[in-house]
Amino acid sequence: KLLRPSHAELGSVNLVSFRQDCGYERPLGMLGMGAQRLGAPGAGLDTSVKPYAKVLKDGYYFAECVQDYMYEYGDKFGGNKMSYELSSISNVSIMHYEKLVPSEDREKMTHTVCFGICRTIPDMLFFGIKNGNKCYCAPYYKPMAGDDTVCDTPCEGDSTTMCGSKSKSSMFGMHMCSNTKQDLAQSNKGLDEAGKQLTKLVDQVSEAAEFMQTAAAALQPTFGKLGDGAASDLLQAAKVRAGELEKGSKEASTVTDAIGKLDKKYAKTASGDFEEFEAATEAEALIEDMDKASTNGQAQIEDLTSLADASSPTDLPKGATKEYFPAMYFVDKEFAEVPSTCGGKIVGEPLVGTMDDCAAACDSEIGDCVGFSYFAHKKSGLCLLLGKFKSVTYYSGCKKERKLIQTRQNLGHRAAEGTKCMAKFSLFEGTTLKPDPSGRCKQCMGKASNAKKCFE
């Protein structure tokens, strides 16, 4: 029996064991001459790794039936390579049996056939079988939301066992051959790497959540009192997003806390004499726990990376603001430089950053984003991207700090702070956004309101 490594809860599972094979190279005669010709991709991206060279795992156990994210988006070399998403996240890839083994040497698929190849690939901890015969090796797997079907497709080579379904994979975990001290250190190394990356992301997302909530809470009452309903609605959307970021950060923090506790436990366990049964047993249990925590950590890294990229982006192109003018420039140039807010269809997620960050984010939403409403707060600001302008409110009561700017070059030199509704110049050059009562102007604002006050 082994502890199940890929779930929040612990449970026992049956291990199909081949412990006597550990450490041995399998005779080529057992594999067919095709094995001599193999030059397969390694675990992740190492194309020099050859399968069937050395046995690294001594058993397998059924984990669960899932629609696997890795099959859909973690496949750099197979049929889903155009959907590959992990280059900037975990930089790993699954490997397919059919890509590793020539057609003339392939066997009809069973659990054991798939295990037979995946057990020899370094760093692969799981294997999956989909639709009866689609075998692949994976460093980890990640369940996706899917239909309510079960894994009920018989294995091609053994109709008494199930090998996934059309949409789902039967996932199996593999048990590592015993080399306790080395395995313990290797598991801890993976745990530390996941912990450091996750901690950095937790801090980034948590800070974004706190700033977004604080800024929206401070600004919403101000615009509400001035009757700027569109601005209040955008700031409410920012509050909702702040809650989502906070939730994601807290969920990930439970994993970082678990990683921290396991790291302390490793420091005590690593000095043990692993020839002693009790010490070896304790170390093996810790390896299972650390591998499980690393897998959970990697899943949280992917989730937090998605949250951070959407609402707290980094390394964005500089100077994007040069391509944007105040929306009022296309409504009434006299008020182009006074503070303004706008309402419309939100694109993407509310984000934290400078006005230049907002412009770059809008540029990344090609064909969808026409501009944004930016709310300055302290040393940064809140930004909401818009796919269509519906209204604008301008605050003519606020003192103009600069003269009207009518060129993109000069606009790029002005301070990237201030509350402004900004429009992408290239989309509206030579046109107008001024409300058109006739309704013939499709891109025009539905309403432009002069607050004749200043919110500062």
Side-chain angles (χ1 to χ4, degrees):
K1 300 278 187 176
L2 286 177
L3 293 179
R4 188 171 173 176
S6 55
H7 294 281
E9 71 275 3
L10 297 178
S12 61
V13 294
N14 292 319
L15 174 71
V16 182
S17 178
F18 298 83
R19 190 176 297 275
Q20 69 278 6
D21 293 343
C22 282
Y24 289 97
E25 295 186 1
R26 291 185 62 186
L28 290 176
M30 294 174 61
L31 309 174
M33 294 303 293
Q36 299 182 50
R37 302 192 294 270
L38 292 178
L45 310 176
D46 185 359
T47 58
S48 66
V49 173
K50 295 182 179 180
Y52 300 120
K54 186 176 182 179
V55 173
L56 303 173
K57 308 294 191 300
D58 63 11
Y60 69 89
Y61 52 92
F62 176 71
E64 59 182 324
C65 172
V66 300
Q67 185 167 337
D68 186 14
Y69 171 92
M70 292 296 289
Y71 188 89
E72 302 293 337
Y73 303 108
D75 177 10
K76 188 166 185 177
F77 304 105
N80 289 329
K81 61 185 179 182
M82 299 305 293
S83 300
Y84 183 71
E85 294 184 346
L86 302 182
S87 291
S88 61
I89 302 176
S90 54
N91 200 32
V92 297
S93 175
I94 64 172
M95 293 185 296
H96 292 274
Y97 176 82
E98 62 184 19
K99 289 289 184 180
L100 298 173
V101 182
S103 58
E104 64 270 21
D105 295 320
R106 296 173 194 162
E107 301 178 65
K108 289 187 176 181
M109 190 50 57
T110 66
H111 298 170
T112 304
V113 169
C114 193
F115 170 65
I117 189 169
C118 293
R119 73 191 297 208
T120 65
I121 307 299
D123 301 323
M124 293 298 176
L125 301 178
F126 300 89
F127 67 90
I129 311 176
K130 185 176 180 182
N131 204 26
N133 60 3
K134 302 297 182 184
C135 162
Y136 61 98
C137 315
Y140 61 91
Y141 71 95
K142 180 181 178 182
M144 296 171 58
D147 55 40
D148 58 358
T149 60
V150 296
C151 292
D152 57 1
T153 301
C155 299
E156 187 178 64
D158 181 3
S159 61
T160 65
T161 57
M162 300 299 112
C163 285
S165 67
K166 287 185 178 180
S167 61
K168 293 186 176 180
S169 301
S170 294
M171 298 303 305
F172 298 84
M174 296 185 287
H175 181 253
M176 298 181 70
C177 293
S178 294
N179 187 348
T180 308
K181 190 175 185 66
Q182 180 180 342
D183 291 347
L184 189 64
Q186 187 65 31
S187 290
N188 183 252
K189 180 181 178 182
L191 185 73
D192 281 348
E193 290 173 352
K196 289 176 182 177
Q197 189 176 357
L198 186 57
T199 297
K200 183 178 179 180
L201 281 167
V202 166
D203 290 343
Q204 181 183 353
V205 173
S206 179
E207 288 173 7
E210 183 178 1
F211 181 89
M212 191 174 289
Q213 176 63 35
T214 301
L219 295 170
Q220 191 177 33
T222 298
F223 289 103
K225 289 178 181 178
L226 293 170
D228 193 338
S232 294
D233 289 344
L234 294 183
L235 292 167
Q236 182 61 35
K239 283 185 176 181
V240 173
R241 180 59 174 176
E244 295 170 353
L245 295 176
E246 183 180 13
K247 179 182 178 182
S249 177
K250 286 184 176 179
E251 289 177 353
S253 291
T254 62
V255 179
T256 59
D257 290 344
I259 288 175
K261 291 178 182 178
L262 288 171
D263 206 38
K264 291 180 180 178
K265 191 173 182 180
Y266 166 78
K268 296 179 180 179
T269 306
S271 60
D273 180 0
F274 301 127
E275 292 186 2
E276 296 281 342
F277 176 78
E278 185 175 343
T281 301
E282 182 180 355
E284 288 174 356
L286 180 57
I287 288 171
E288 295 294 333
D289 289 343
M290 288 194 296
D291 287 345
K292 173 192 170 186
S294 295
T295 300
N296 290 342
Q298 193 59 58
Q300 288 292 338
I301 286 169
E302 292 178 16
D303 290 342
L304 281 194
T305 297
S306 178
L307 290 175
D309 287 348
S311 291
S312 182
T314 58
D315 301 323
L316 292 172
K318 303 299 181 184
T321 315
K322 294 179 181 180
E323 304 299 325
Y324 289 79
F325 272 34
M328 283 304 299
Y329 177 86
F330 303 99
V331 176
D332 188 337
K333 292 181 174 61
E334 179 182 352
F335 301 105
E337 286 306 301
V338 302
S340 59
T341 65
C342 48
K345 179 183 177 183
I346 297 176
V347 173
E349 301 290 350
L351 63 94
V352 172
T354 65
M355 189 177 287
D356 208 42
D357 292 333
C358 294
C362 189
D363 285 344
S364 70
E365 298 284 351
I366 301 173
D368 292 325
C369 184
V370 301
F372 56 87
S373 194
Y374 184 78
F375 298 89
H377 183 70
K378 295 184 178 180
K379 294 182 180 181
S380 188
L382 293 180
C383 176
L384 292 99
L385 308 182
L386 299 175
K388 179 177 175 57
F389 293 116
K390 292 184 179 180
S391 65
V392 63
T393 298
Y394 55 103
Y395 292 83
S396 61
C398 294
K399 181 180 179 181
K400 296 182 184 179
E401 296 182 356
R402 292 174 179 80
K403 295 180 180 180
L404 178 62
I405 299 170
Q406 298 184 4
T407 67
R408 276 173 283 179
Q409 182 178 4
N410 288 337
L411 182 63
H413 292 162
R414 72 178 182 81
E417 303 294 338
T419 297
K420 283 287 180 66
C421 174
M422 304 294 287
K424 192 163 189 176
F425 184 82
S426 62
L427 298 178
F428 303 106
E429 183 179 10
T431 66
T432 181
L433 289 174
K434 188 175 183 179
D436 177 17
S438 71
R440 288 194 293 269
C441 178
K442 293 184 179 180
Q443 82 274 5
C444 287
M445 301 279 190
K447 184 179 180 182
S449 303
N450 184 354
K452 297 182 181 180
K453 297 177 182 178
C454 188
F455 53 83
E456 297 176 335

